[in-house]
Amino acid sequence: MTSYKGISLDSRLLPLIRHMDSVNEYRESLQRLQAVWDNLALLGQLSGMANDMGATRHAFAELTSVLLNSMGQEMRRKLVQDMQARAQVAIDILTRNLFERTADIGFLALDDEVRRFLQLDNPGAVAGERAALVGRFHDYVRKYSVYDDVVLLAPDGRVLARLDEGVAVVATSAGLLAETLQTRQPYVEYHGALDLFPSRTSVLCYAYRICDEQGRVLGVLCLSFRLDNECARIFANLRQHDDWYVVALITPDGAVVAASDALQLPAGTRVAPVCDEDCRVTRLGGREYLAVTRASTGYQGYGGPGWLGHVMVPLEHAFADAGHGRLAGQASELLAAVMHSPALFSASLREIPQQAEQIQRELNRSVWNGRVRQSRDEQSGNPTFSKVLLGEIGRTGLQTSDVFAQSIANLHETVIAAVLSESEFCAALAIDIMDRNLYERANDCRWWAQTHSFAELLSAAPRSDATRQAITATLKHINSLYTVYDNLLVFDRQGVVVAVSNPTFAGRVGQPVGEEWVARTLLLAQPQQYAVSAFAATPLYGGRHTYIYAAAIFASDSDEVVGGIGIVFDSAPQFAAMLHDAVPAQHAEAGGAALFIGRNGEVLAGSDAHYQPGSRLALDAAWLQRAATQRSAGIIVLDRQYYAAGACPSAGYREYKGGDDGYRNEVTALVLIPLGSVQQAVAPAQHDRIRNAHARAPERNEPVAQVATFHIGGEWLGIPCQQVIEAVDATHITGLPGLPESARGVLMREGRPVPVFDLKNELRYGRSAAEREYRQVVIVQGEDGAQFGLLAHALAETLEIPLRQIDAIGGLFPGQMPLAESAVRPDPALGREGILVVLSVERIRDRVLGRPNVPGWSAPMLEERRGANPLMLS
């Protein structure tokens, strides 16, 4: 802990606290009130309240530190979690993308046309052959648009063919060539300057050694990845137009590979990675930033190029957005229901309002008792001064409690807004992962359909077992490189299965596929087109739900369709992995989930087994419609649980769903973060709110009655101050066996037991109030001096009431003995709304103590009054 402007704070907040405007506003308000408490404590010496004031002042001071600490820690936690999520997504999305590249280079290096070209006697000198190969490279990049160049090298480094023929480089002497020729790994991943690309300061390149059947090296294939373009897409999805985050990818030693703001973080700039703590304040260019760094979690065994995700935000803007605007469209009843959820707020934070309420309750009790004593003692030394002081103490207590309540309410709103933002961010992440993944599937089926051996073998007639075996071997090799598929199948122009990659489905060979997407595939007009099945159960996936991507196979020398290829996406584990990655671990452990759903709420996949493909979510149609059309977040009720529900519809990736590929499939990612279970609404507790309104006082010399008031349930009740001893806390009542329901037990006062009674059966008592906890005991004294206590929920004002406004009501009910002695008419000019019912202590005693089974009260206090008060023993 450390000290900041007189407040004891967590040391981690010290460099941040001055930028937390809301925390500083509340600190200033509470410290101003603390100065008032200091003055009141001094003045309290004159009225004999020094001990009470000192305790209250100290309690509020301690709670101020707890509150500000909690606010600061919550704001820091919210910010750091948000930054860490963005840093993690930045590096993990790129890693997923590059994982696909490691498979691409392996498959393209085995392409028949590439290998045939390298086996020519002098491949570099055959212009027509080279032009044909460059044309094939163009076909490849039209499908896999993540690449900007394809280069084919001879073993001695000569450039034999390349996609970008405008680059005047005839050979390379870079170490990449030697490393690729010597490596025992399937490929080489290289980042840095490369003489093959003289106009660039760095390039991300994948290289693969190409060999013939005897293992003789034929050449090296290089794929140049569009790193800057891809990073710009990733960064754009991670930043809003009005935030101040700078998202970057850095090397382990802190060199910037790419950043969302090249002015603040140019490529090559050195920053300090934050790998040993959750965040750190750093300096760059004369400015302070809060920075976080995250390493890649890897994907299917691939760890990426070793880079790190790094996010920075200028300190002066780090805490500017509390996110309250996000709650504007939320239903007030849902907000109220989750506002105090234990799923969102720590126990220490939830205890702050209770502690503030306890302090305020004790203060109010002291003020109330002081006013009662004043009213009883007309000869007090300076009643006017004491009355003003008590009023000021009450007002200051309410102001202090109101600051606590407002700050906690704002903090709750901030936390809920943050959870809604998090759910929306996670949904956007999930759908982005899905679109990127399925983009690759659309590319794969189209490129594999252009495999020359498929066209040649399907065109041959009659078809032999050797033909099927050759196609099967190729499919199995592809499937070994691309593990996201459960099966690959080639079918002929009649839709009959020719070969499969998965032996489990070997029985399908020779049988018609029999699904509607096959007919659509065979009607495709050119190699850039593809078809996709509906997301449905299919025997080609063991009766489970999945997508099947397909493309037509065209004859080598014409536009005739000779068959097609279908690739069965292994949707169950792949979608589960995508959705699992989209839900933060702490939310998943608490019951959170992520789903892919259709427009009408039908489930495609879920991270939780509770949500099965083909089932339907019981959600409002209007909510589903909004989720299907725009990125949004809100609070919903599902299966008797409150959730922060973030939704983001699919927008495609690059050409996939976003261009002229003709494919439209409405899918929305939905992320559910639990906010607590749905419970029966409970009326808010009625707190002691002793107001000191500056209302018009009774006329001078006008006869008045002094009445101490309180609340039992929904009733506003009073007792003449002359008959009130004091109010005490209701937590020290001891129950006694064998008593009637109205007798709750005894409490000790000045060493003697005082009976305590509950009037709930004697009063008009609202159901919602019946669930409230009794907080106070009002001790009263009858005309004979006997004392007993009445349970009350809250204390209210102590009033001077003109006698002309008090009406006796005892005679209104002949033959009855109402507990009320009189009623006070409302007087808005004096700050009184509603009717105040003044109880009779004597009638309460007669009603409650006059029952036959009450003589069990045999405490010494009652025994002493046997002769003077026979009603107590009758």
Side-chain angles (χ1 to χ4, degrees), residues 104-120 133 137 150-156 160-161 177 179-183 185-188 206-223:
D104 289 350
I105 186 66
F107 183 71
L108 185 58
L110 297 180
D111 184 74
D112 293 341
E113 296 302 302
V114 174
R115 292 166 68 88
R116 189 181 65 81
F117 178 81
L118 288 174
Q119 289 174 327
L120 294 173
L133 185 62
F137 290 165
V150 182
V151 184
L152 184 62
L153 302 173
D156 60 5
L160 300 177
L177 178 65
E179 183 181 356
T180 306
L181 292 173
Q182 296 168 9
T183 184
Q185 301 301 317
Y187 61 89
V188 171
Y206 290 83
Y208 196 100
R209 180 176 66 246
I210 302 174
C211 301
D212 61 16
E213 289 77 3
Q214 289 74 38
R216 182 173 61 91
V217 176
L218 300 177
V220 170
L221 182 69
C222 299
L223 285 176

Side-chain angles (χ1 to χ4, degrees), residues 2 48 62 76 88 154 180 429 434 454 486 534 622 639 694 806 858:
T2 188
E62 284 191 339
R76 179 187 183 276
Q88 193 71 65
T180 306
L429 168 62
M434 181 191 202
F454 289 167
D486 182 68
D639 298 331
H694 296 286
I806 302 176
S858 56

Side-chain angles (χ1 to χ4, degrees), residues 648-716:
C648 188
S650 170
Y653 171 69
R654 295 185 180 271
E655 302 79 24
Y656 178 69
K657 290 188 183 180
D660 298 326
D661 67 354
Y663 178 53
R664 296 294 178 269
N665 180 228
E666 293 185 342
V667 177
T668 296
L670 179 63
V671 170
L672 305 174
I673 297 178
L675 300 177
S677 60
V678 176
Q679 298 175 347
Q680 182 179 0
V682 179
Q686 182 172 351
H687 307 301
D688 298 23
R689 301 294 287 178
I690 302 180
R691 299 182 298 272
N692 297 284
H694 296 286
R696 178 175 58 83
E699 299 293 337
R700 182 172 297 180
N701 300 323
E702 182 179 17
V704 297
Q706 305 280 349
V707 180
T709 72
F710 50 91
H711 293 281
I712 300 179
E715 305 298 324
W716 186 26

Side-chain angles (χ1 to χ4, degrees), residues 744-776:
R744 293 292 293 272
V746 297
L747 58 78
M748 299 301 294
R749 181 177 182 273
E750 296 180 350
R752 309 186 74 175
V754 175
V756 178
F757 300 103
D758 184 351
L759 298 184
K760 68 181 179 183
N761 293 327
E762 312 295 337
L763 300 169
R764 299 186 308 275
Y765 204 99
R767 177 180 298 178
S768 61
E771 299 170 354
R772 298 174 188 161
E773 179 182 356
Y774 285 118
R775 301 286 192 179
Q776 311 284 352

